[in-house]
Each structure stands twice: as structure tokens, then as C-alpha cells.
Amino acid sequence: MAVAGRLAGNLDGIVHGKPEQVKLVLATLVAGGHVLFEDVPGTAKTILARALAGSIDGAAFSRIQCTPDLQPTDVTGLSVYDQRTREFEFRPGPVFANVLLVDEINRALPKTQSALLEAMAESQVTVEGVTHPQPRPFVVLATQNPIEQEGTFPLPEAQLDRFAVRTSRGYPPADEEVRIVAEQRGGHPLERLRPVVGLDDLLALQAAVEDVYVDPLLLDWLVGLVRATRDLEAVTLGASVRGSLALERVARGWALVHGRGHVEPADIEDLFVPTVGHRLIFDPFALTNASADALLDEVKAACLARVPRPEPDWDDAPPPASAP
């Protein structure tokens, strides 16, 4: 848990405002998932990705700026014929990184978007029949602008389902914005960033997620909430089983980042919309009467009303998980 604390503290010194958003990204990283930021430009999404990579000693960082002419091989890499050796040599693309920022992912063609699917789901890339493993740890931080839709290609459900979390940072509070402006007079804080953990520390933290305790009553409740999304009038297609898996896994990471060895009911409530919301397809008629955000709030309230919240007996829980 000390590793998570050092990471959170280092990121808070660079990305000001909304520390819980930083912890959400860390919880997703610890859980081995990927994050989709749906936000307007200028909300420090790129800075957060670069600060995360810079906080991990030895971590490789790559950025892909998506455009309509971006090809799958621009992401995965390709095999090039070497005339000296008379053999094909694989030249890895930017996807082979520990922290990968995919900027404006919805501006890439569907075939290029799908090139990320295997890497995100299986931590490997297959090029010309040869499978190449991803470095570990591996996290994708993707962004898309919800305002400008011209020239974009909406992510299909299969692609959205690969993201453990969808969130937005939004603008910082006024006092934090003043602090940001003042701090950048003498150069960007990223220039002074130093790593505080190593790759081995982070891998050990990811392994520690397995020891975080989830009470059986909470697990039943969690699955019940996700299943309830499949029976609502406003929802055409509810969350898949992958939604249950993501909610349980990220809840473990969330507990660990907050210094606990067990998941609490509030964790599941807090993470329900970020982990389940982007997996829902709403009825078009419902969207004409309310925004997607308002519908998500209604779905959450309806699911919580249908599935009573349990109160586990923590006296019966195993000892708290130990983490580096």
C-alpha cells in the first residue's frame, strides 16, 4: 500500500484538483485494466499519463495521436526485410509500452481501433502470424472528445467493453487553476518529476490485488446490480459479464489504493457508473428526454433500489491484505 501512496502523492504534485480521479486511474492500473477519458481538451489527460509513466522507474511511455489516416501497423509495428541478413525483422510499434496514451481514439478508423483490441484484452499483439507479448505492466489511457463529432468513428461496443473504466476529469476548482498557472511560470512541473516506484514494485502491487477480500454478500450484491441493468426500460442492452468482472476487479484496486485490505459497499457504489456505465446501450427514445449522464444516475438509483445493499460482518473477514 506504500507503493500506491507514493504514486498518488507524486501524481498529486503534478495533476492538481480532483485527487479521487487520480486514485481511480491508479486503482484501474493496479487492477490491470484500461481507462477511457471522455472529456474536452485541456483537462490534463496527457499530463496525467506522462506523470504516471514518469513516476515509475524504467516505465516506457508512448503516445498515439489518432487520425483518419492512421494504419494498424502504425500502432502494432510491422516486419521489415533486412537485406543484410535476408530475413524479416519485426519493428515494434508504440503499443509496446508500459503506459500508452491513445489520444482522440475515436478519430481512428475502425480497423485501427480494432488493432488495440488484442493488446488490451490479451496483453499481446499478433503481426503476420507471430505473437509478441506486451511489456508488463501495461495500461492504456485513451481519450475522446464528446463535443466534436465531425470526422470521428464511434467506438463499437466490443471496444468500449475492453475499457475497465470510463471517466472524465473536468475542469479543476478555481483555486487549483490559479495554482496551476502560478506553478508553470518557471517551467512545467513535469520537468521536475522523479520516479518514486519501480516496475517490480508495481507488479507486486498488482499481485496484491488478489489478496483483497470481497465478502460473499458483497459479491452477490455486485453481480445483482450489474444484472439489474439488463431489466430496465431505458436500457436496450445491459452490462455484460465483463461489467461484473471489471467492477469487482477495480473495487479491489480501489480498496488497495485507499489503504484497505477489503472492499466496502461504498466502493461498489462509487465505482458503479465508471465501470458499468459505458457498457450500456440506452433506448433512443429515453435519450431524447434526458442526457446520458442523467440516465446513468437514474440507472444507478434504480439498480440500488432493486437490489438491497448488504452489511457484511467484518469480524468474519480474513486479516487485511498485505501490500508493498
Side-chain angles (χ1 to χ4, degrees):
M1 298 179 190
V3 172
R6 292 201 300 272
L7 270 175
N10 215 38
L11 293 176
D12 284 341
I14 302 296
V15 184
H16 301 311
K18 303 188 178 179
E20 291 302 292
Q21 286 287 338
V22 171
K23 290 182 179 179
L24 178 60
V25 172
L26 289 181
T28 308
L29 169 63
V30 169
H34 309 286
V35 182
L36 175 63
F37 286 107
E38 193 170 83
D39 217 336
V40 296
T43 51
K45 301 180 295 293
T46 300
I47 299 303
L48 176 56
R50 291 178 59 191
L52 178 61
S55 298
I56 306 169
D57 191 20
F61 171 74
S62 289
R63 176 178 179 177
I64 299 173
Q65 181 64 53
C66 292
T67 56
D69 60 350
L70 188 74
Q71 297 299 309
T73 52
D74 295 329
V75 175
T76 62
L78 72 166
S79 296
V80 178
Y81 184 71
D82 190 330
Q83 293 183 345
R84 293 175 300 175
T85 61
R86 297 185 178 181
E87 293 180 351
F88 282 93
E89 176 187 355
F90 177 66
R91 296 185 179 176
V95 74
F96 290 92
N98 298 113
V99 180
L100 175 64
L101 173 64
V102 184
D103 233 345
E104 295 189 284
I105 187 173
N106 56 332
R107 292 198 179 277
L109 291 170
K111 65 177 182 179
T112 305
Q113 294 174 5
S114 65
L116 287 167
L117 277 176
E118 184 182 13
M120 294 173 62
E122 303 176 31
S123 295
Q124 64 181 29
V125 172
T126 302
V127 179
E128 297 179 4
V130 180
T131 299
H132 305 273
Q134 293 286 127
R136 296 183 59 234
F138 172 63
V139 60
V140 173
L141 304 178
T143 73
Q144 63 178 7
N145 185 345
I147 305 301
E148 298 178 4
Q149 298 299 319
E150 185 177 353
T152 63
F153 305 88
L155 294 178
E157 285 70 32
Q159 181 86 351
L160 281 172
D161 217 20
R162 293 305 190 275
F163 288 98
V165 164
R166 181 184 66 177
T167 186
S168 61
R169 282 192 49 78
Y171 294 116
D175 57 336
E176 293 292 350
E177 191 164 350
V178 170
R179 181 183 174 189
I180 291 169
V181 173
E183 282 189 354
Q184 295 198 25
R185 290 173 182 167
H188 202 283
L190 275 174
E191 299 170 1
R192 303 184 291 273
L193 184 69
R194 295 293 180 269
V196 293
V197 301
L199 287 174
D200 289 342
D201 295 326
L202 191 53
L203 289 173
L205 191 62
Q206 289 183 332
V209 168
E210 305 296 337
D211 297 325
V212 175
Y213 177 70
V214 181
D215 190 276
L217 291 175
L218 280 188
L219 186 58
D220 288 344
W221 182 55
L222 178 154
V223 172
L225 290 175
V226 175
R227 290 178 64 86
T229 65
R230 305 167 194 168
D231 299 319
L232 301 177
E233 284 189 14
V235 179
T236 302
L237 183 65
S240 67
V241 176
R242 192 177 283 120
S244 298
L245 291 168
L247 180 53
E248 192 266 354
R249 188 77 180 179
V250 177
R252 288 175 184 252
W254 182 258
L256 206 58
V257 167
H258 284 79
R260 284 185 276 106
H262 65 273
V263 174
E264 297 182 349
D267 300 336
I268 295 172
E269 288 190 17
D270 292 341
L271 295 169
F272 182 80
V273 170
T275 58
V276 176
H278 59 291
R279 306 173 197 276
L280 308 179
I281 298 179
F282 289 112
D283 181 88
F285 179 76
L287 286 171
T288 62
N289 299 317
S291 67
D293 288 341
L295 284 176
L296 283 175
D297 290 338
E298 291 179 10
V299 165
K300 178 180 177 179
C303 292
L304 288 172
R306 289 189 178 201
V307 188
R309 171 174 169 164
E311 294 298 336
D313 184 358
W314 300 118
D315 292 336
D316 295 335
S322 58

